[in-house]
Amino acid sequence: MEQWLVDHETVIRAYVFYGMLALVALWESLKPAKVPTTSTPVRWLNNIALVALDNLVIRWVFPLLAVAFSITVAEHGWGLFNLVALPLWLMLPATVIILDLAAYVVHRLLHKVPLLWRLHKVHHADLDYDFTTGLRFHPLESLVTVSSTLLVIAALGAPPVAVIPYEVLFIGAAFFVHGNIHLPQTLDRLLRRCVVTPDMHRIHHSVDIRESNSNFAGIFSVWDHLFGTYCKDPAAGQDAMVMGLAEYRDARSLNLPQLLIMPFTRTSSRAGTMQSGVSLDSDTKQS
């Protein structure tokens, strides 16, 4: 079974990627949570072009990605799990949990460290929120996040059979939590006790800086509960909550070339972000 998972990892990833993409896209089209404020075809074109460029850059820089790299780690005997003999039933959940915790820490650093925030704001500048937002990252940020994942795999000595479930969960969660969808409130509140939901993560994309500095978790919501970064509801409510960044409100300027140079341009401070109860001028332009 372990060898089968490793041999078919590429196929498994593809099924999960395109399956979740299709499922969430269909769900959004049938029952969207919020009405788009900008042109959806234009946003999709820019976001999908950005992820295509991301993949080209990552493949060029990294000869091995997570699962292939974990095979190399195992062959060289690197990391904790290759020094301390543990049963697979323990290593597998430990790998998933630790990699998800590492992703939470990196996500907080992307908001906290000014240089990293310059890269990450490309993700947050999206004026609407749907499954393509989960694909929208600056190539340099993708290099940072992939590097951090590979470092954790090496330090942990994570076996390939344990990395694959994490990759599958991460891909599925990325589409699900960025979906322009609502779950029934009772179900949403129940799931939030252990995993991230679309309504929970959507708050993280609020234009209100206090709300965007919350709900950092990617798969397991326990990290936000444990480290005090959980926000239950946006001040304006889910329907009225404004998405994006205060300094980027002109949809026409958020094309692919502008997204690529965004980290290198000067903008107003995040302190100018809308606060709860204060209206945002819809005509505000990028500084």
Side-chain angles (χ1 to χ4, degrees):
M1 182 62 178
E2 296 176 29
Q3 189 58 48
W4 184 90
L5 285 173
V6 173
D7 292 342
H8 295 83
E9 176 262 337
T10 302
V11 175
I12 293 170
R13 282 173 54 93
Y15 272 116
V16 173
F17 183 94
Y18 292 109
M20 285 300 296
L21 185 154
L23 176 63
V24 176
L26 178 61
W27 190 346
E28 290 180 347
S29 66
L30 295 175
K31 195 172 182 180
K34 292 173 71 70
V35 177
T37 62
T38 61
S39 170
T40 296
V42 172
R43 281 187 56 256
W44 282 14
L45 179 63
N46 288 320
N47 290 353
I48 293 172
L50 195 58
V51 73
L53 183 58
D54 280 2
N55 285 329
L56 289 175
V57 171
I58 290 171
R59 292 292 181 180
W60 180 65
V61 174
F62 295 104
L64 299 176
L65 294 180
V67 175
F69 182 67
S70 67
I71 295 174
T72 300
V73 167
E75 290 173 346
H76 288 80
W78 297 336
L80 177 63
F81 290 161
N82 288 306
L83 299 175
V84 179
L86 293 175
L88 181 61
W89 64 264
L90 183 58
M91 282 194 295
L92 196 153
T95 296
V96 172
I97 290 169
I98 292 171
L99 284 171
D100 191 53
L101 172 59
Y104 169 86
V105 171
V106 170
H107 194 176
R108 289 195 66 175
L109 290 175
L110 288 168
H111 281 252
K112 185 71 173 178
V113 179
L115 181 60
L116 295 179
W117 169 249
R118 282 181 168 269
L119 304 177
H120 189 54
K121 66 183 179 180
V122 171
H123 179 62
H124 277 267
D126 207 346
L127 297 177
D128 285 309
Y129 184 90
D130 61 24
F131 73 95
T132 67
T133 307
L135 301 171
R136 173 193 173 111
F137 296 96
H138 194 278
L140 293 179
E141 179 188 346
S142 296
L143 293 179
V144 170
T145 54
V146 170
S147 297
S148 65
T149 299
L150 297 182
L151 285 173
V152 175
I153 289 173
L156 196 58
V161 71
V163 173
I164 293 171
Y166 171 74
E167 290 276 284
V168 167
L169 286 171
F170 181 83
I171 293 169
F175 282 119
F176 175 64
V177 305
H178 288 97
N180 183 25
I181 54 180
H182 279 311
L183 295 174
Q185 188 174 56
T186 301
L187 178 60
D188 180 88
R189 298 306 185 194
L190 180 63
L191 290 177
R192 281 195 198 191
R193 296 180 180 180
C194 56
V195 297
V196 182
T197 67
D199 278 3
M200 176 181 166
H201 189 71
R202 191 179 297 109
I203 298 169
H204 179 71
H205 284 258
S206 167
V207 76
D208 187 328
I209 188 172
R210 296 170 296 186
E211 294 172 353
S212 65
N213 280 330
S214 69
N215 298 357
F216 293 97
I219 300 173
F220 302 117
S221 60
V222 63
W223 310 125
D224 286 307
H225 294 292
L226 185 61
F227 298 113
T229 54
Y230 175 69
C231 178
K232 181 180 178 181
D233 294 303
Q238 287 283 348
D239 293 338
M241 178 175 58
V242 179
M243 315 302 296
L245 299 175
E247 61 266 39
Y248 297 102
R249 306 309 304 173
D250 183 1
R252 293 168 299 180
S253 70
L254 297 177
N255 52 44
L256 181 61
Q258 291 300 317
L259 293 176
L260 291 174
I261 67 172
M262 187 181 289
F264 313 105
T265 59
R266 296 176 64 88
T267 61
S268 60
S269 169
R270 291 199 77 201
T273 304
M274 182 186 75
Q275 298 299 313
S276 301
V278 179
S279 297
L280 179 70
D281 181 2
S282 60
D283 293 327
T284 302
K285 297 295 189 289
Q286 176 181 337
S287 59

